């Protein structure tokens, strides 16, 4: 190859052209990257500003509307002194109380608080044993919106718990046997506070009693513990029942899913089908007065109460109750308590008590 001044000039010119072309490509690439970054920031900012938790928890628009709307009423929903507003929509009963945890602490605000509360709990204590709780909080929206219609808890679903409408008394044998041994005590306590039956419509209810709206008949409750909060005046009137609650090993005493009350259904009364707020509990009914033609239907399975015996059921399943007896039969009366589901571990109970503390 012969070198000459002209050849060197050609090589230098070609090199300069390549440099200019490379600079153009690099500049164009940088412009594209900047534009993509700006578009990404715009999209993220828009989504974050509109609904940050819908992405985190997988909540779709229809589910959010349903959660923000009226939540379903159950035996345990509502505070003392409240006049319930109940609608019948497609055969279901809906609670619209401004004082009910399930009706006011749901949706995006609840999801955010649960997530932050769980993080705070893990920092204070441990993440050990928190796998299911973390999974339930993280994917709550997907669980609540995708559950089959037969079981659909309204507030919180803990995954991987055995599910059934009714449970054997053996799963909480100690507490069931304690309640059944306390039958005479609890019946006497009930008769002491019910010696003046509430008037129809609840306009002149005796102290402590609460009237719940029903499409037929009447349903009254006398709470000792309502959504994790003891009612001091009612507790003072029922000291023996309060002592029984204190002896139970699995009573949910420290979070909003725990209730204890005397529940009365008059002849002709119907509690419309509804779901409970969570699957982490079992609802226990101790029969105190049980006339004929009274029935509890959970998940399509009917059961009858009996005096002195307990029924354990998962109220996150669709359920209803009715009393089809005559006026001469008198009311159906049960003592109702919420117990932990037997497969919720001790560490999980402690975490759930923390993140669902009343007033949190």
């Amino acid at each position: 190859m012969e070198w000459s001044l002209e050849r060197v000039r050609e090589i230098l010119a070609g090199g300069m052209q390549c440099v200019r072309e490379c600079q153009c490509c690099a500049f164009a690439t940088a412009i594209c990257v900047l534009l993509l970054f700006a578009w990404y920031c715009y999209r993220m900012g828009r989504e974050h500003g509109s609904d940050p938790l819908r992405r985190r928890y997988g909540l779709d628009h229809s589910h959010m509307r349903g959660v923000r709307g009226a939540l379903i009423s159950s035996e345990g929903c509502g505070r003392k002194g409240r006049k319930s507003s109940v609608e019948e929509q497609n055969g279901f009963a809906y609670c619209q109380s401004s004082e009910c945890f399930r009706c006011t602490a749901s949706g995006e605000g609840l999801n955010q608080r649960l997530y932050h509360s769980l993080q705070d709990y893990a920092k204070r204590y441990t993440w050990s044993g928190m796998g299911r709780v973390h999974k339930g909080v993280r994917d709550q929206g997907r669980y609540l919106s995708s559950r089959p219609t037969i079981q659909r808890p309204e507030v919180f679903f803990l995954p991987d718990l055995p599910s059934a409408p009714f449970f054997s008394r053996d799963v909480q044998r100690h507490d069931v046997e304690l309640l059944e041994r306390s039958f005479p005590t609890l019946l006497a306590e009930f008769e002491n506070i019910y010696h003046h039956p509430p008037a129809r419509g609840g306009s002149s209810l005796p102290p402590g009693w609460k009237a719940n709206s029903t499409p037929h008949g009447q349903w009254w409750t006398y709470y000792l513990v309502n959504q994790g909060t003891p009612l001091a005046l009612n507790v003072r009137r029922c000291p023996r029942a309060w002592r029984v609650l204190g002896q139970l090993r699995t009573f949910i005493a420290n979070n909003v899913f725990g209730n204890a009350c005397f529940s009365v259904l008059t002849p002709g009364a119907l509690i419309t089908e509804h779901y409970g707020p969570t699957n982490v509990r079992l609802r226990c009914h101790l029969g105190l007065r049980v006339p004929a033609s009274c029935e509890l239907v959970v998940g399509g399975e009917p059961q009858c109460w009996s005096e002195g015996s307990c029924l354990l059921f998962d109220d996150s399943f669709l359920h209803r109750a009715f009393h089809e007896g005559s006026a001469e039969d008198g009311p159906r009366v049960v003592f109702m308590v919420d117990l932990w589901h037997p497969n919720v571990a001790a560490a999980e109970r402690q975490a759930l008590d923390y993140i669902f503390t009343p007033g949190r």
Side-chain angles (χ1 to χ4, degrees), residues 133-154:
V133 176
H134 180 259
K135 184 179 178 182
V137 170
R138 183 191 63 207
D139 298 328
Q140 180 183 180
R142 178 169 61 84
Y143 285 131
L144 297 185
S145 62
S146 64
R147 295 299 304 163
T149 56
I150 194 173
Q151 184 194 26
R152 184 170 288 174
E154 290 295 321

Side-chain angles (χ1 to χ4, degrees), residues 144-185:
L144 297 185
S145 62
S146 64
R147 295 299 304 163
T149 56
I150 194 173
Q151 184 194 26
R152 184 170 288 174
E154 290 295 321
V155 176
F156 181 75
F157 178 79
L158 186 66
D160 305 322
L161 282 184
S163 295
F166 290 96
F167 278 72
S168 166
R169 56 186 286 113
D170 293 333
V171 301
Q172 297 294 9
R173 176 175 290 276
H174 175 273
D175 287 353
V176 166
E177 291 181 348
L178 174 62
L179 287 166
E180 292 179 348
R181 287 197 305 271
S182 303
F183 166 72
T185 297

Side-chain angles (χ1 to χ4, degrees), residues 46-69 71 101-117 137-138 140-141 144 154-155 356 360:
R46 183 179 178 184
E47 291 180 6
H48 179 78
S50 62
D51 205 343
L53 292 170
R54 185 170 290 114
R55 299 188 313 278
R56 176 179 292 175
Y57 296 102
L59 300 176
D60 57 36
H61 290 275
S62 61
H63 177 68
M64 290 307 302
R65 285 196 299 269
V67 174
R68 290 192 188 107
L71 286 181
F101 163 80
R102 292 164 57 192
C103 299
T104 59
S106 56
E108 298 176 32
L110 174 64
N111 293 343
Q112 189 175 39
R113 288 198 297 274
L114 293 186
Y115 194 81
H116 291 161
S117 295
V137 170
R138 183 191 63 207
Q140 180 183 180
L144 297 185
E154 290 295 321
V155 176
F356 285 105
R360 178 175 291 278

Side-chain angles (χ1 to χ4, degrees), residues 11-54:
I11 293 173
L12 289 175
M16 292 298 294
Q17 182 66 27
C18 289
V19 170
R20 284 195 295 270
E21 290 177 356
C22 289
Q23 287 177 339
C24 291
C25 290
F27 181 75
T29 301
I31 291 296
C32 291
V33 169
L34 287 174
L35 290 174
L36 287 172
F37 180 73
W39 175 81
Y40 173 78
C41 292
Y42 167 76
R43 288 295 302 273
M44 290 299 292
R46 183 179 178 184
E47 291 180 6
H48 179 78
S50 62
D51 205 343
L53 292 170
R54 185 170 290 114

Side-chain angles (χ1 to χ4, degrees), residues 186-197:
L186 294 170
L187 179 59
E189 203 90 292
F190 164 74
E191 291 174 342
N192 184 51
I193 59 174
Y194 193 74
H195 57 279
H196 295 301

